[in-house]
Amino acid sequence: MNGLNGIGLVVEDRRSEPTEWGNAMPILHEIRHGLRRLNETDEPTLIDLHALPFGPGDEERLLALLGRGEVEAQIDALGPTRVWESAFPGVWLVDHRNAEDERLALHIEISRVPEILGSQSEDIADAIVRLDARIADHTGAL
Amino acid sequence: MAARKTLGESLREHGVSRRGFLKFCAATASMMALPPSMGPVIAAALEKARRPSVIWLSFQECTGCTESLTRSHSPTVEDLIFDVISLDYHHTLQVAAGAQAEAAREQAMKENHGEYLLVVDGSLPGPNMNPGYSTIAGISNYEMLKEAVAGAKAIVAVGTCAAFGGLPAAAPNPTGAVSVLDIVKDKPVINVPGCPPVPMVITGVLAQYLVFGKLPELDEYHRPKAFFGQSIHDRCYRRPFYDKGLFAESFDDEGARKGWCLYRLGCKGPSTYNACATMRWNSGTSWPVESGHPCLGCSEPKFWDAGGFYVPLSAPLGSPGSTLLAAGVTGAVVGGVAAALAKKRATTAAAEREPVTVEELEQKL
Amino acid sequence: MSDPMGFLLWVKGPGLNWALAIFALGMLVRIVEIFMLGRKTNYAEPKGGEWGPGFKTILTRSVADPGTFARAPFNVVVGWIWHIGFLITLLLFIPHIELFRGVLGIAWPGLPNPVVDAVTAITILALVATLVHRLQHPVKKRISTPEDYLVWTVTFLPLLTGYLAYHRLVNPYPLILGLHILSVNLFLVVFPFTKLTHVFTAFIARWYNGAIFGRKGVES
């Protein structure tokens, strides 16, 4: 047996040929409806891209269509979560990943600010307790 | 054995912030194929959930289901699931502990009697079969299952073997393998089939049970509709090609390279209900059809005996060609004999015919 | 139904095998009898050939003669429509071609799915029209027998269930696909014992007609 060198390999550059699967377009329409709703009633919309029958390249196509805007943020909780505003204000992308940088969930959040960015009430309550303790430490030390 | 603190307390002890908890709930909602707006609902439920005891029994299985589960991709989420539950017994994972593991199992079953969740993978030899076909620590599968079911709140049959009999039950089924549902009639059973099941489906079902505290909505095969309610065909990204009638004719032909429908290569997508097309495998990397291989239909009963993996869904089982031939030949022989007899009768009648004259007829009449 | 897959596998396996056996046995009995019993010997001197005119007539009789058309235009036109539609659906739908490959070992090119789908819809409507016509026509209604309605039904059911299955209008899919194959099994079992045998005998009869006329030196 020649070994691995005996196997003819053909490397295809997939990026050169984006196939039109057509699954990105309906999402764009859903986003548009969500943006309208946000504008008129201030009601947010969440779209979970996980549940959709994307073919290879569909997701890249969609993200490329949405583009990037002015804001980018990274959250460090149970692994990184990247949040960025698309080129369309009001349309945010929330990319939850675990500690091994593997994707947990990818949401499109149509809102003024994604909920996960804001400081959470429980954490604030916890912060008051810790700050009190920290202040007490310093006051005590002096 | 099962901790008495809630999941919320447990997570905070792990140093998980509220944001982290919300992220965990968002990922869980996504994994459970629920709308993302359910994240807060899950958060509220998990906050208060108590960690149930889980006993995991493995019978006639290849360990693929356990492998699939422990391979499930986000250690953060799945780890937390296993922090969420108290996995009190898993004989493969605990194999090194030997007899002590059995003692632990019995203690857990006694302490949590009526409350623990029983997870089973692998099929088991039927009650009338030789119990020696499959035993654990000298106890037959059937006896162990019966004993464990007695104190269980619900049973989750993981994998096609536990759900439907799977490979051991395929023809000729030498061990008389049966499924969990064939044995358990008086307790709720959730089937999570697949060979193996999509890992996130296993944890999703456990998570669903934890969040809602009751069994999910099940289909006619006791499978959770959240994951098994849609056919592969209806969620397949290659469906537009099927609808247009563009099929790959052989592996790696032009159609296959273009990603056309794999129906003619034996894809069982139309009759298979599972989450592979949306959840995919290996952290959402890909799944059989996307890799160019037709769906095997592995989450359906008797899929091993359903024809052939590379034979189209519309093709018949067995050998109809030879049936046609044999029946045709028989028919030809029968027809030939019947016709020959009829002809013989006609010629004999003609030969034996006695002519009558008008006078004879007039005398008779 | 609690075990749709079990139903599908039975209907596609033993069910279909039995149906094919009865179909093949029945049809071969009939056809062999027809050929072996043959015709009475014609002692007149032949004035022309038999085989040529026989085969020619198989084709030419496909077109209705003007008298028939004038008397029953509906039957001729709608009959053509649904027969051709039925054959297209049966023989040029790719999943069916795979079925034939599994049974006979041969395959041929097919038509795109949406085309077959449209043809099936037209065929179903035409077939329903024939039933309505039969029920409303004063003469046809009176001369119709239970066999006529049975044959209509076993021909209609595969078309209907096939359409429902293709469009996945009944859940779960294994159930409706199983019903479709079951209806085909029924069609096959009923076939040799009813006028459905015309699928084969019509052409045999046309040959005989052409042969008889040809022998007499008459154009048929």
Side-chain angles (χ1 to χ4, degrees):
Chain A
M1 177 144 177
N2 299 8
L4 292 174
N5 294 329
I7 302 173
L9 279 178
V10 173
V11 177
E12 283 178 10
D13 184 8
R14 266 150 133 251
R15 282 168 302 158
S16 60
E17 234 187 72
T19 336
E20 185 69 61
W21 302 109
N23 280 337
M25 200 44 64
I27 315 295
L28 283 177
H29 283 282
E30 207 180 323
I31 293 173
R32 189 174 154 276
H33 282 291
L35 254 184
R36 258 270 188 73
R37 210 174 13 244
L38 181 72
N39 194 32
E40 286 162 11
T41 64
D42 225 20
E43 192 192 315
T45 309
L46 263 178
I47 301 171
D48 182 0
L49 292 179
H50 184 94
L52 304 164
F54 276 156
D58 265 350
E59 196 186 281
E60 286 88 339
R61 173 176 226 84
L62 178 67
L63 292 179
L65 273 163
L66 289 174
R68 293 229 166 198
E70 298 173 331
V71 183
E72 197 177 310
Q74 174 146 330
I75 302 171
D76 192 13
L78 298 180
T81 290
R82 291 186 198 97
V83 180
W84 66 91
E85 192 179 35
S86 73
F88 306 92
V91 180
W92 297 80
L93 280 113
V94 179
D95 183 10
H96 290 300
R97 287 166 182 266
N98 66 8
E100 266 82 25
D101 206 27
E102 290 161 325
R103 175 167 288 155
L104 296 177
L106 180 62
H107 290 165
I108 294 178
E109 196 168 332
I110 301 164
S111 58
R112 300 210 171 268
V113 146
E115 209 205 305
I116 197 100
L117 276 182
S119 298
Q120 308 294 323
S121 326
E122 288 85 346
D123 292 337
I124 293 172
D126 193 45
I128 295 173
V129 171
R130 284 190 291 118
L131 192 55
D132 275 343
R134 192 67 70 88
I135 292 169
D137 277 345
H138 282 263
T139 318
L142 288 173
Chain B
M1 259 305 124
R4 288 291 147 229
K5 53 179 153 244
T6 67
L7 172 60
E9 291 161 353
S10 179
L11 286 173
R12 267 191 287 287
E13 274 183 20
H14 272 79
V16 175
S17 69
R18 184 69 184 172
R19 261 209 198 95
F21 181 58
L22 284 180
K23 172 171 166 174
F24 167 67
C25 292
T28 307
S30 191
M31 180 173 53
M32 284 161 60
L34 292 170
S37 50
M38 283 295 278
V41 176
I42 293 172
L46 287 183
E47 182 75 58
K48 295 194 275 340
R50 301 227 164 254
R51 300 171 67 198
S53 170
V54 173
I55 309 275
W56 184 303
L57 298 178
S58 297
F59 296 142
Q60 291 184 135
E61 37 81 59
C62 69
T63 313
C65 295
T66 300
E67 289 284 338
S68 173
L69 179 59
T70 54
R71 217 65 33 190
S72 51
H73 78 130
S74 38
T76 319
V77 175
E78 271 68 22
D79 260 354
L80 284 174
I81 291 281
F82 279 98
D83 286 327
V84 164
I85 65 174
S86 176
L87 187 59
D88 290 326
Y89 176 82
H90 189 304
H91 100 254
T92 307
L93 298 177
Q94 288 176 289
V95 67
Q100 286 156 318
E102 300 308 315
R105 173 175 63 80
E106 299 198 350
Q107 189 180 1
M109 278 164 55
K110 204 159 74 171
E111 279 179 7
N112 299 291
H113 193 90
E115 288 302 318
Y116 58 82
L117 194 62
L118 178 63
V119 178
V120 179
D121 68 336
S123 65
L124 59 153
N128 299 323
M129 300 301 298
N130 186 337
Y133 278 127
S134 179
T135 62
I136 298 166
I139 308 168
S140 79
N141 290 168
Y142 177 74
E143 287 306 322
M144 190 175 262
L145 180 67
K146 275 293 206 200
E147 196 196 341
V149 163
K153 187 147 184 215
I155 298 105
V156 180
V158 169
T160 301
C161 291
F164 300 125
L167 182 56
N173 195 351
T175 64
V178 296
S179 68
V180 168
L181 257 180
D182 285 334
I183 307 284
V184 178
K185 306 287 182 199
D186 57 347
K187 289 277 166 87
V189 176
I190 306 173
N191 279 334
V192 183
C195 191
V198 177
M200 287 187 277
V201 170
I202 305 176
T203 45
V205 170
L206 290 175
Q208 199 166 23
Y209 180 71
L210 289 166
V211 169
F212 297 107
K214 58 183 174 74
L215 295 186
E217 209 185 328
L218 304 174
D219 72 1
E220 72 275 357
Y221 284 120
H222 288 245
R223 302 177 293 200
K225 282 189 184 166
F227 300 106
F228 297 92
Q230 294 283 339
S231 64
I232 299 291
H233 188 68
D234 282 336
R235 301 310 248 174
C236 180
Y237 76 97
R238 295 196 182 199
R239 179 68 179 277
F241 292 111
Y242 174 89
D243 290 337
K244 283 191 210 129
L246 294 170
F247 299 100
E249 311 269 332
S250 65
F251 284 109
D252 213 30
D253 73 351
E254 205 201 321
R257 282 171 208 255
K258 288 201 185 128
W260 288 356
C261 174
L262 299 172
Y263 186 94
R264 304 191 84 159
L265 293 175
C267 183
K268 304 297 185 295
S271 59
T272 304
Y273 291 82
N274 206 342
C276 315
T278 47
M279 293 181 98
R280 297 183 286 258
W281 292 83
N282 285 329
S283 328
T285 303
S286 184
W287 59 294
V289 170
E290 191 175 331
S291 304
H293 190 283
C295 166
L296 301 180
C298 74
S299 55
E300 299 296 315
K302 302 192 185 72
F303 84 94
W304 293 100
D305 295 325
F309 293 147
Y310 305 106
V311 174
L313 182 60
S314 56
L317 300 180
S319 47
S322 32
T323 305
L324 267 182
L325 200 59
V329 165
T330 313
V333 166
V334 169
V337 166
L341 281 175
K343 276 185 125 157
K344 184 151 179 292
R345 236 183 302 131
T347 35
T348 321
E352 289 173 359
R353 175 176 151 271
E354 282 174 16
V356 291
T357 61
V358 176
E359 291 76 20
E360 283 175 358
L361 265 178
E362 277 184 356
Q363 273 183 345
K364 250 197 235 173
L365 299 167
Chain C
M1 146 145 294
S2 59
D3 189 8
M5 273 307 284
F7 171 61
L8 174 63
L9 292 175
W10 184 88
V11 133
K12 198 156 81 118
L16 181 62
N17 256 302
W18 275 109
L20 283 172
I22 294 172
F23 167 76
L25 200 133
M27 276 321 296
L28 259 300
V29 166
R30 291 229 160 192
I31 290 179
V32 165
E33 279 180 345
I34 288 172
F35 283 125
M36 275 188 63
L37 291 173
R39 297 162 286 165
K40 255 180 24 183
T41 319
N42 187 348
Y43 293 105
E45 208 177 295
K47 296 192 187 66
E50 283 196 335
W51 286 89
F55 282 115
K56 183 162 165 270
T57 308
I58 291 178
L59 295 172
T60 57
R61 287 264 172 136
S62 301
V63 182
D65 67 85
T68 309
F69 185 80
R71 276 197 308 275
F74 179 91
N75 283 79
V76 173
V77 172
V78 179
W80 265 108
I81 291 174
W82 87 255
H83 272 90
I84 293 183
F86 185 89
L87 285 172
I88 290 176
T89 305
L90 174 64
L91 299 173
L92 298 180
F93 180 53
I94 288 183
H96 288 165
I97 294 174
E98 291 296 337
L99 165 67
F100 284 110
R101 194 206 298 267
V103 177
L104 301 172
I106 50 169
W108 50 87
L111 285 177
N113 289 2
V115 172
V116 177
D117 185 35
V119 167
T120 309
I122 294 171
T123 308
I124 289 177
L125 290 172
L127 203 47
V128 170
T130 62
L131 180 68
V132 170
H133 174 81
R134 180 186 282 276
L135 288 169
Q136 287 186 333
H137 191 284
V139 175
K140 285 173 188 161
K141 183 163 179 227
R142 277 168 181 78
I143 61 174
S144 295
T145 66
E147 187 200 331
D148 294 320
Y149 295 110
L150 171 67
V151 164
W152 184 92
T153 306
V154 299
T155 309
F156 182 72
L157 283 177
L159 285 164
L160 178 70
T161 52
Y163 190 85
L164 291 174
Y166 177 78
H167 288 280
R168 304 178 78 89
L169 292 172
V170 173
N171 278 316
Y173 182 75
L175 173 64
I176 187 65
L177 182 61
L179 285 173
H180 175 62
I181 299 174
L182 185 66
S183 71
V184 171
N185 290 350
L186 183 64
F187 178 88
L188 289 170
V189 162
V190 160
F191 195 107
F193 308 102
T194 60
K195 63 183 187 181
L196 281 172
T197 52
H198 80 277
V199 169
F200 300 98
T201 59
F203 301 97
I204 301 173
R206 286 181 189 178
W207 187 92
Y208 273 119
N209 268 301
I212 292 169
F213 283 127
R215 200 172 191 279
K216 291 185 187 166
V218 171
E219 195 175 325
S220 61

